[in-house]
Amino acid sequence: MDACTTLGAKFEDWQALGLDEERCPVRNLLDQIGDRWSMLLLAALAGGPKRFSALARAVPDISKRMLTQTLRMLEVSGLVHRDVQPTVPPSVTYSLTPLGRSFAGPLLGLVDWAETHFAAVVEARAQAKKAA
Amino acid sequence: MDACTTLGAKFEDWQALGLDEERCPVRNLLDQIGDRWSMLLLAALAGGPKRFSALARAVPDISKRMLTQTLRMLEVSGLVHRDVQPTVPPSVTYSLTPLGRSFAGPLLGLVDWAETHFAAVVEARAQAKKAA
DNA sequence: CTGAATCCTATGCGATACTG
DNA sequence: CAGTATCGCATAGGATTCAG
């Protein structure tokens, strides 16, 4: 049974349960990390702990507001650990929890797909634009 | 080298290239399928071709507007094929292209992670709420 | 340095009504 | 049946300023 068939079967199961946002793990996950920044920050932290300002530099086009907000959400969900050093000036280090690290595998799968098939997607979009 | 380290290394590479939205495959993918419906519709189609109204029933809380819009985007990106039967009344069937099917693997990885670790995430959120 | 607070704009997305 | 068109709100999220 290939991945496609398996996925189709799983979808049937969720559907039978009403695809409820609260109960369905997949809907829940998508609500969590289906935003513009979550996956990117998890990837940024995969290499090791980073400080707030280092993360801000690593992802140039994120605002401080969204950086704080996204990290908080990831922390609440148990994917990221926030370590505050009570120095002056304060120093805050973020790192992946074991749960966060366990997410690296699936995320890497997505990343690999993106890199492998990026050219095909660009090509498809070019074709579509030409047809229009 | 585990997935976490690999992912960290890849992020360094993207960072070196400026994490450009146009050029970075990952940013591009996230812009595409990082919305509320794309991944869900791809999963819904993984089991086989479905008609427009069947998809609308499969995902109860999607509006016709978003269903159309999301399917169009997936079609333009080459992940979904749209087959129009010029009958009366018209019948339109959507299916995954080979490119779309190739995405089932990575997507299944994400789904499996969600199902496996859902309980842990819920637990973490409960702890965070209690602390607050 | 690491945020919190406030303000403001863009737009995602649902609801509704209409068409071929 | 399978959309399209229009309206309108709720929210995402950037810019800026203040604080510990």
Side-chain angles (χ1 to χ4, degrees):
Chain A
M1 188 143 124
D2 68 336
C4 210
T5 312
T6 307
L7 191 57
K10 279 182 183 288
F11 183 84
E12 303 282 331
D13 292 345
W14 312 335
Q15 197 178 344
L17 296 172
L19 273 173
D20 185 55
E21 297 233 16
E22 306 299 316
R23 286 185 160 74
C24 175
V26 176
R27 293 295 295 264
N28 205 288
L29 176 71
L30 289 181
D31 280 1
Q32 276 295 317
I33 51 78
D35 60 52
R36 184 126 89 254
W37 305 116
S38 294
M39 295 212 213
L40 216 51
L41 287 180
L42 289 174
L45 286 171
K50 276 197 173 65
R51 296 182 51 178
F52 184 86
S53 51
L55 281 171
R57 260 176 284 113
V59 186
D61 49 352
I62 192 175
S63 64
K64 281 192 302 181
R65 177 183 155 82
M66 290 315 296
L67 182 54
T68 303
Q69 187 172 308
T70 306
L71 286 169
R72 281 279 190 279
M73 193 176 55
L74 294 174
E75 188 195 3
V76 166
S77 295
L79 295 171
V80 160
H81 174 66
R82 180 167 173 267
D83 188 32
V84 183
Q85 303 295 336
T87 57
V88 176
S91 163
V92 182
T93 304
Y94 294 88
S95 55
L96 293 184
T97 63
L99 184 60
R101 271 193 295 279
S102 77
F103 187 68
L107 183 50
L108 186 58
L110 223 58
V111 165
D112 281 339
W113 185 91
E115 293 181 332
T116 303
H117 300 284
F118 183 52
V121 170
V122 169
E123 167 71 10
R125 286 208 270 251
Q127 293 292 334
K129 178 166 256 177
K130 192 165 60 181
Chain B
M1 190 143 123
D2 68 337
C4 211
T5 312
T6 306
L7 191 56
K10 279 181 184 290
F11 183 83
E12 303 281 333
D13 292 345
W14 312 335
Q15 198 178 344
L17 296 172
L19 273 173
D20 185 53
E21 297 232 15
E22 306 300 316
R23 285 185 160 74
C24 175
V26 177
R27 294 296 295 265
N28 205 286
L29 176 71
L30 289 180
D31 280 2
Q32 276 294 316
I33 50 78
D35 59 51
R36 183 126 94 254
W37 305 116
S38 295
M39 295 212 214
L40 216 51
L41 287 180
L42 289 174
L45 287 171
K50 276 196 173 65
R51 296 182 52 176
F52 184 87
S53 52
L55 281 170
R57 259 176 286 113
V59 185
D61 49 352
I62 192 174
S63 64
K64 281 192 302 183
R65 176 185 155 82
M66 288 317 294
L67 182 54
T68 303
Q69 187 172 307
T70 307
L71 286 169
R72 282 278 192 279
M73 194 175 55
L74 293 173
E75 189 194 2
V76 166
S77 295
L79 295 171
V80 161
H81 175 68
R82 180 167 174 266
D83 189 32
V84 184
Q85 303 295 336
T87 57
V88 176
S91 164
V92 181
T93 303
Y94 294 89
S95 56
L96 293 184
T97 62
L99 184 60
R101 271 192 295 280
S102 77
F103 187 68
L107 183 51
L108 186 58
L110 224 57
V111 165
D112 281 340
W113 185 92
E115 292 182 333
T116 304
H117 300 283
F118 183 52
V121 170
V122 170
E123 166 70 12
R125 286 207 271 252
Q127 292 293 332
K129 178 168 257 177
K130 193 166 60 181

